[in-house]
Amino acid sequence: MRKIGCFIIALLLVYSANAQDSTFDARAVVLLDRMSQVIGDLQSCSFSLKTGVDVSDPMKGIIRNYSTHDVFFKGPDKMHVHTKGPREEFAYWYNTDMLMYYSFTGNTYGFIETPDNIIETIDMVNADFGVDFPAADFFYPTFTDDLLEYSESIYYLGLVNYDGKQYHHIVAKGSDKHIQIWITNDTFALPAKYVIHEKKDGEMLQFEGIFLNWKLNADLPDAIFDFVAPENARRINFVSKSSTY
């Protein structure tokens, strides 16, 4: 992860040299690095996230689904996500080497054995089981490098007013994806909002998220990362993608 002060000149030189092929605004890169550095240095955090996700329906066209998520992280190996979606309420608990799932709507639960850190667990359950965690990309140490790799250009659009506050507005454009990120204009430089337009199967779909109620280095009890299924709940088995072929 880059250190801001030491690399500003280097960034300007590198991104100017590559300007013929791509345009990477050094101001945007510095802000993205600052955001990643702050998140990476946290011992714990919690936040709420409101998301809107477009889904393509062959009969009805593009449908927008809204959800709310309460997210908690502690250290490298504890996570809890509680989601209220358009049709289902469910949650995940991750503690060291096990991801636990419970559907409040269906009263069903299941377990997945996982690696012993959050990032590898998110990667594994996404690749093997198709599970997506809200805004997980923002917590990857390689967030800025990944955005640079998959973008043709990244621009800093300056400070904008949104909901009575000022935010840094950044735009990243790729061949089939357009990403906008708003970062708080304060000491912590946290993500406040994102909007993604992505072309899938000939249609342009939109994904958006709004971060609320950030709490940094909160004293989160270990108990909130454990789950005990209700006695009358029905256990389900998670089936890996590889086992379906």
Side-chain angles (χ1 to χ4, degrees), residues 106-127:
N107 194 28
T108 56
Y109 71 100
F111 302 90
I112 302 174
E113 293 185 4
T114 62
D116 61 359
N117 69 81
I118 293 171
I119 297 301
E120 289 185 19
T121 293
I122 290 174
D123 280 342
M124 190 211 77
V125 296
N126 178 262

Side-chain angles (χ1 to χ4, degrees), residues 22-238:
S22 304
T23 302
F24 298 135
D25 192 321
R27 294 169 297 178
V29 176
V30 167
L31 281 166
L32 291 168
D33 273 341
R34 172 61 175 168
M35 178 189 71
S36 291
Q37 182 182 1
V38 169
I39 291 175
D41 286 344
L42 293 174
Q43 299 301 310
S44 66
C45 73
S46 66
F47 60 90
S48 295
L49 184 70
K50 293 183 177 180
T51 59
V53 177
D54 282 350
V55 177
S56 181
D57 185 285
M59 296 294 294
K60 301 173 184 176
I62 296 176
I63 298 172
R64 174 68 58 88
N65 289 328
Y66 290 97
S67 301
T68 59
H69 316 268
D70 292 321
V71 182
F72 305 84
F73 289 104
K74 184 177 181 179
D77 58 2
K78 290 178 175 59
M79 174 179 66
H80 173 46
V81 181
H82 188 156
T83 296
K84 295 180 180 179
R87 298 175 185 85
E88 185 177 14
E89 180 180 358
F90 59 91
Y92 290 97
W93 293 261
Y94 167 66
N95 194 341
T96 308
D97 59 1
M98 187 76 69
L99 182 71
M100 298 156 280
Y101 163 85
Y102 177 68
S103 169
F104 295 90
T105 305
N107 194 28
T108 56
Y109 71 100
F111 302 90
I112 302 174
E113 293 185 4
T114 62
D116 61 359
N117 69 81
I118 293 171
I119 297 301
E120 289 185 19
T121 293
I122 290 174
D123 280 342
M124 190 211 77
V125 296
N126 178 262
D128 292 352
F129 300 95
V131 175
D132 289 318
F133 291 99
D137 289 348
F138 287 92
F139 288 83
Y140 278 68
T142 57
F143 177 82
T144 303
D145 293 332
D146 293 341
L147 196 61
L148 289 168
E149 181 179 353
Y150 294 105
S151 300
E152 297 171 351
S153 58
I154 298 178
Y155 298 100
Y156 175 66
L157 302 186
L159 288 172
V160 297
N161 294 311
Y162 168 72
D163 199 24
K165 298 180 181 179
Q166 275 195 334
Y167 299 92
H168 299 283
H169 190 188
I170 294 171
V171 172
K173 183 178 181 296
S175 58
D176 57 1
K177 186 179 294 186
H178 182 275
I179 301 172
Q180 297 183 74
I181 300 171
W182 289 260
I183 298 174
T184 58
N185 180 31
D186 57 23
T187 302
F188 297 104
L190 294 168
K193 180 180 178 180
Y194 64 86
V195 174
I196 301 171
H197 290 88
E198 184 173 6
K199 192 173 184 179
K200 288 187 175 181
D201 299 325
E203 293 185 310
M204 188 63 70
L205 305 180
Q206 179 174 303
F207 311 88
E208 62 176 336
I210 298 174
F211 293 87
L212 301 167
N213 303 321
W214 276 99
K215 295 180 181 179
L216 308 183
N217 291 327
D219 186 11
L220 302 176
D222 289 347
I224 70 171
F225 303 100
D226 286 324
F227 168 72
V228 177
E231 290 185 2
N232 63 341
R234 179 173 59 89
R235 182 170 178 174
I236 60 174
N237 293 319
F238 284 92

Side-chain angles (χ1 to χ4, degrees), residues 6-20 22-27 29-30:
C6 297
F7 282 85
I8 292 179
I9 295 176
L11 286 169
L12 289 169
L13 293 173
V14 170
Y15 298 126
S16 296
N18 292 336
Q20 292 181 350
S22 304
T23 302
F24 298 135
D25 192 321
R27 294 169 297 178
V29 176
V30 167

